Amino acid sequence: MYSEKELVGIAKRENNNRRKYLVVNRLQGKHIPVIPSKAINMFDCLAQMLIEKYSDEKLLLIGFAETATAIGAAVATQMDCYYMQTTREVINNVDYLFFSETHSHATEQKLVKNDIESIIYEIDRIIFIEDEVTTGNTIMNIVKLIQNEYKNSKSKFSIASILNGMNSDAEKLYRSREIGIHYLVKTNHDTYDAVTEKFVGDGKYNQSILLDKQAEYKTKTYGEYVNARRLVKSSVYLKACEKLWDNIKGDNDIKSNIKILVLGTEEFMYPSIFIAHKMELVGCDVRFHATTRSPIVVSSEEDYPLHTRYELCSLYDAERTTFVYELTKYDRVFIITDALNDKEVGLNSLIFALTKNKNDNISVIRWC
């Protein structure tokens, strides 16, 4: 189906001694621009695996922010199930279940507790969707958290990921607790730290967080927004994304055979890659990726996955630094975001990074 060599690029985390390496999936569409159908096809393979195993169960799928939000939603929309994602953003008037990813740059994660409580006694199984499971510790901690919080729940648990690097002891622990394990590719992390040491980190680093000038771009806001940080039926989410595409298609002359970048923002990935895939089906030459909180070393070596980095202000929080990698020139650029329009410094810094690469036909689509 897929191989480790085909999917895995090893990058170096910046100033992170907890885990020095970062696995960069070449087809996922987070850090590296990807043809949308290649990512969607990979997500569908994972979905088919779960459909074959759990078609008779009532499911809640939980996608992990920020890198697995597109994977989780894409898998969920292939199944008749409930879906929500973890988040690091602030949601007003809710309670949370908090947990952490100690290896991550931004360690705090949370789930909306109100939504878990509304469904936990009705479902048969929770499936956690990740891009990569390394040790399994984070998900095991969440399983224990939910089990302790809802002792009368009969829900079972599984994990599903594109990549799985768990060792035999970790897998044995999961199976002893009857937690299902599903993945597309098995990885071995033993050499990853050594691999990162050979890269010199001499890529192109660019800062655009101090931008004051207002750059040129077109903007449009659409309603009927569905926030996947909250519990949603997968069929409802898919229908909302289809409506968003209809609106974008109706308001834009999207010609075939032009080169388009669709750029998502941080946790907001699935609607963006959904739109990118629709544009590809129209006949456009499309690439998709997203901004990220992850500070990653870039390097000039040909076999290193990332070569150019722009440091930005977040569209969601002007005080937060985010990044975008591997920008180049396109005929049209669509930034698709659910960030509100009160953080213009963040949007301006992203627009500046795009214009530095000679992109002058930029549309900002807000779905909020």
Side-chain angles (χ1 to χ4, degrees), residues 155-199:
S155 296
K156 298 177 181 179
F157 298 89
S158 294
I159 59 171
S161 59
I162 304 299
L163 307 173
N164 183 295
M166 296 167 66
N167 63 29
S168 58
D169 288 339
E171 290 191 1
K172 184 177 179 180
L173 175 62
Y174 266 65
R175 293 196 171 96
S176 72
R177 298 181 69 106
E178 299 183 338
I179 301 173
I181 304 171
H182 309 277
Y183 53 85
L184 298 185
V185 174
K186 189 68 178 175
T187 56
N188 185 340
H189 291 238
D190 291 347
T191 63
Y192 289 176
D193 272 327
V195 169
T196 63
E197 296 301 324
K198 73 176 184 177
F199 297 118

Side-chain angles (χ1 to χ4, degrees), residues 74-120:
V75 171
T77 56
Q78 297 300 307
M79 308 174 75
D80 183 19
C81 66
Y82 290 97
Y83 176 71
M84 64 187 300
Q85 66 174 66
T86 70
T87 185
R88 296 183 176 103
E89 301 297 340
V90 175
I91 303 173
N92 294 326
N93 303 315
V94 301
D95 297 319
Y96 299 111
L97 292 174
F98 290 95
F99 62 97
S100 64
E101 293 180 293
T102 57
H103 61 274
S104 177
H105 172 71
T107 60
E108 184 182 87
Q109 288 262 29
K110 56 199 178 195
L111 280 164
V112 176
K113 184 178 181 181
N114 312 65
D115 292 341
I116 294 290
E117 289 179 348
S118 72
I119 199 71
I120 190 67

Side-chain angles (χ1 to χ4, degrees), residues 144-162:
K144 292 177 181 177
L145 178 66
I146 293 173
Q147 287 176 330
N148 289 334
E149 190 75 27
Y150 308 106
K151 297 185 187 309
N152 294 326
S153 171
K154 304 301 183 184
S155 296
K156 298 177 181 179
F157 298 89
S158 294
I159 59 171
S161 59
I162 304 299

Side-chain angles (χ1 to χ4, degrees), residues 1-24:
M1 188 184 299
Y2 293 97
S3 67
E4 182 176 3
K5 183 178 180 180
E6 184 180 6
L7 298 184
V8 171
I10 304 302
K12 188 174 185 178
R13 297 174 187 265
E14 186 174 74
N15 299 324
N16 189 330
N17 292 323
R18 293 183 296 269
R19 186 179 296 167
K20 294 182 179 180
Y21 66 85
L22 178 75
V23 175
V24 177

